[in-house]
Amino acid sequence: MPISPIDLYRDVLPQTDCGDCGFPTCLSFAAKVVSEQLSLTRCPHLSPETVADYEDRLQEQYAEHKWVKRDTAQDALQWAKERSARISLQDLPGRLGGELVAGEDGPAVRLPYIGGDVLITEQGMHKADGTELTLWEQVLLYNHWAQGGEREPSGKWLGFQELPNTVSKIKTMQTQVYGPLAQCCAGRGEELKRAARELGGEDWTAELESGDAAVFLPALPRIPVLVMFWDRDQEEGFGAEVKFLFDQTVTEHLDIESILFLSEQIRKLLCAHIGRENTKGHKEGTWEAG
Ligand code: SF4
């Protein structure tokens, strides 16, 4: 079997996302090592023995052109599925929320997911309206399943930068989520509130008395997101701004990469409902290795 980015991330790299290699995450570095033949020695936190062992195997793989970049999503999905297998389907409602229902092929968990429901079975998962989830959405939901946290939201909100190990991700959050969403919402605070309601959210602007709009979105039952919006002020020369707040328990339910991906999905759906989705220049929501 060829060594995949997930193999390197899981079995070799320190998973600290320190950025010393010049890439924001260990996973994005792993993808470059595998697909673009970067040397493992660019990570200064590996033992010489580990580097020597894997460099030999990677050299063989490069020579045989065994790895292609498009395998990353499938590979991540496979890994997330393997990780989730230790927690039974029956235990999911107690951990993630949702409810156990009778599906066509056996028991299923119906899980609310940003304005719709997902049906999860032992065989796989799809949206309750019959449409497919993307591979990366499935990775997100299997990661949520695998993480297995069960705490209810505490009501204490934290900015993305206040979550642990986010330093290297703040720029991505700004360019892929905050910036594009602020652009969609500029001059359209009321439409943001309407879009949030259409996705099952609530308008919290009056309660919070901060920002021009504040909307509460139950992205997943245990993972609420508070979207704060400050509109542009052309006279003062300020552009529109957006920030997301997360419950302090969020990292018990999702890893940071998944939180970032979920934020991109929220941005995409809100912009689509506002009617101003503009994907030009933005990545489709993917992990940074994708
Ligand atoms: S140098 Fe890169 S690969 Fe190594 S631990 Fe830091 S982020 Fe991960």
Side-chain angles (χ1 to χ4, degrees):
M1 284 282 284
I3 300 169
S4 70
I6 297 293
D7 293 332
L8 280 185
Y9 177 76
R10 182 189 56 210
D11 301 335
V12 181
L13 299 176
Q15 301 179 19
T16 55
D17 297 342
C18 69
D20 290 347
C21 55
F23 294 91
T25 64
C26 296
L27 189 57
S28 56
F29 174 64
K32 297 286 181 193
V33 170
V34 170
S35 64
E36 297 181 19
Q37 307 190 12
L38 281 192
S39 170
L40 268 179
T41 54
R42 280 183 63 158
C43 173
H45 308 292
L46 300 176
S47 72
E49 295 77 26
T50 302
V51 171
D53 179 24
Y54 275 85
E55 286 275 83
D56 283 351
R57 293 170 58 190
L58 284 163
Q59 288 306 328
E60 282 173 28
Q61 186 166 315
Y62 299 148
E64 293 172 21
H65 305 289
K66 272 189 182 165
W67 178 258
V68 284
K69 201 176 175 187
R70 66 184 157 78
D71 291 342
T72 304
Q74 280 291 1
D75 197 58
L77 181 58
Q78 184 59 32
W79 186 41
K81 277 184 179 175
E82 284 168 16
R83 290 176 60 224
S84 68
R86 68 194 169 85
I87 296 176
S88 82
L89 188 76
Q90 277 74 11
D91 287 344
L92 282 192
R95 291 180 175 274
L96 312 189
E99 57 174 345
L100 203 59
V101 297
E104 285 173 13
D105 304 316
V109 172
R110 178 181 279 269
L111 189 71
Y113 167 59
I114 340 179
D117 282 349
V118 169
L119 283 175
I120 304 175
T121 68
E122 298 285 5
Q123 293 76 37
M125 54 175 71
H126 58 83
K127 291 186 185 166
D129 64 9
T131 55
E132 296 290 325
L133 291 155
T134 67
L135 284 181
W136 287 111
E137 284 181 301
Q138 292 180 54
V139 174
L140 165 75
L141 294 169
Y142 277 112
N143 277 343
H144 186 28
W145 178 346
Q147 193 121 343
E150 52 193 318
R151 268 223 288 164
E152 297 276 354
S154 66
K156 181 161 192 293
W157 297 96
L158 298 176
F160 181 69
Q161 73 286 355
E162 295 175 89
L163 302 177
N165 303 319
T166 50
V167 173
S168 62
K169 312 282 195 314
I170 289 170
K171 190 168 166 217
T172 306
M173 189 71 161
Q174 184 62 43
T175 56
Q176 297 300 324
V177 180
Y178 293 161
L181 185 54
Q183 230 182 317
C184 291
C185 296
R188 296 181 173 218
E190 291 307 311
E191 292 178 44
L192 170 62
K193 295 176 192 171
R194 174 186 52 75
R197 282 194 294 270
E198 287 171 5
L199 293 171
E202 296 167 19
D203 176 8
W204 282 17
T205 313
E207 287 93 320
L208 294 182
E209 295 179 343
S210 172
D212 294 300
V215 298
F216 170 89
L217 265 183
L220 285 154
R222 300 279 197 272
I223 307 180
V225 179
L226 201 47
V227 180
M228 306 294 301
F229 170 66
W230 295 265
D231 209 348
R232 65 191 170 201
D233 185 330
Q234 282 164 332
E235 280 181 19
E236 297 287 336
F238 296 128
E241 279 189 42
V242 164
K243 292 273 179 279
F244 284 9
L245 300 180
F246 300 90
D247 192 87
Q248 69 170 0
T249 59
V250 68
T251 48
E252 295 182 25
H253 298 289
L254 283 180
D255 59 276
I256 296 297
E257 289 282 356
S258 301
I259 294 169
L260 196 49
F261 177 80
L262 180 66
S263 302
E264 291 180 49
Q265 294 303 106
I266 292 171
R267 180 271 293 165
K268 208 162 116 185
L269 282 167
L270 283 173
C271 287
H273 278 249
I274 290 168
R276 292 190 71 176
E277 175 62 329
N278 173 14
T279 53
K280 197 175 165 202
H282 309 143
K283 289 190 300 183
E284 269 309 289
T286 65
W287 266 254
E288 289 187 343

